[in-house]
Amino acid sequence: MQLQSMYQDIILDHYRNPHGRGLRDPFEAEVHHVNPTCGDEVTLRVHLDGETIADVSYEGMGCSISQASVSAMYDLVVGRPVTEALATGESFVALMQSKGDPAVAERLEDELEDAVAFAGVSKYPARIKCALMSWMALKDASARALAAPTTVTGGQA
């Protein structure tokens, strides 16, 4: 139970002190994702330096899970190649599909860092979409950014 309390503290810290929040220029792609079941939303921008994620900036609103998830994601992906960042996203999806299995969380702890705190969310199917929304936005924006012909200040929607 002590571990669960620590995880809750990590989620609340990311919610109260979001990392990377605020839309910034330049960026190659901007996406807006909404969780229709609860109304959470995020506008996310990706800026690439070659095939490396140079910056992820975002604005959003919603529950603590959705907003903390995008903050934890920011820490994991900025400065990494897109392929590695997306692989980390797949690991986060695996965590969300684990139904709270502590063995899965333990296996992914080093890779997911603070994001492993969302392991408990995987026990609640209605909340999984909240945690995954920003990761799906990153996947979408990264694909658009890689397809973009040049860097655009002001981006494309």
Side-chain angles (χ1 to χ4, degrees):
M1 208 53 174
Q2 200 173 18
L3 183 62
Q4 188 61 32
S5 176
M6 182 182 78
Y7 282 173
Q8 289 172 346
D9 289 346
I10 290 170
I11 291 171
L12 286 174
D13 185 53
H14 274 280
Y15 177 67
R16 292 178 182 140
N17 306 294
H19 304 177
R21 187 173 184 89
L23 294 173
R24 293 180 290 281
D25 291 327
F27 61 96
E28 286 72 40
E30 176 180 293
V31 298
H32 183 77
H33 281 222
V34 176
N35 180 348
T37 58
C38 64
D40 292 347
E41 58 184 83
V42 67
T43 299
L44 185 133
R45 292 178 176 174
V46 171
H47 173 52
L48 300 180
D49 181 4
E51 293 194 9
T52 298
I53 297 176
D55 191 26
V56 172
S57 62
Y58 64 92
E59 284 293 338
M61 59 185 225
C63 70
S64 60
I65 292 169
S66 71
Q67 299 306 295
S69 181
V70 69
S71 173
M73 180 195 73
Y74 169 85
D75 290 345
L76 289 170
V77 303
V78 172
R80 295 182 61 202
V82 172
T83 53
E84 284 182 24
L86 295 179
T88 299
E90 291 304 314
S91 294
F92 190 78
V93 170
L95 182 72
M96 289 299 99
Q97 294 171 341
S98 73
K99 297 182 173 140
D101 182 346
V104 175
E106 186 176 326
R107 178 175 56 83
L108 296 172
E109 188 173 18
D110 289 340
E111 180 183 1
L112 293 179
E113 299 175 10
D114 279 0
V116 79
F118 294 87
V121 172
S122 69
K123 297 177 193 174
Y124 305 98
R127 303 313 303 253
I128 292 171
K129 285 184 180 180
C130 301
L132 287 176
M133 181 179 63
S134 60
W135 290 93
M136 297 302 105
L138 176 70
K139 188 175 182 179
D140 185 11
S142 295
R144 291 180 188 202
L146 288 170
T150 58
T151 299
V152 178
T153 301
Q156 45 191 28

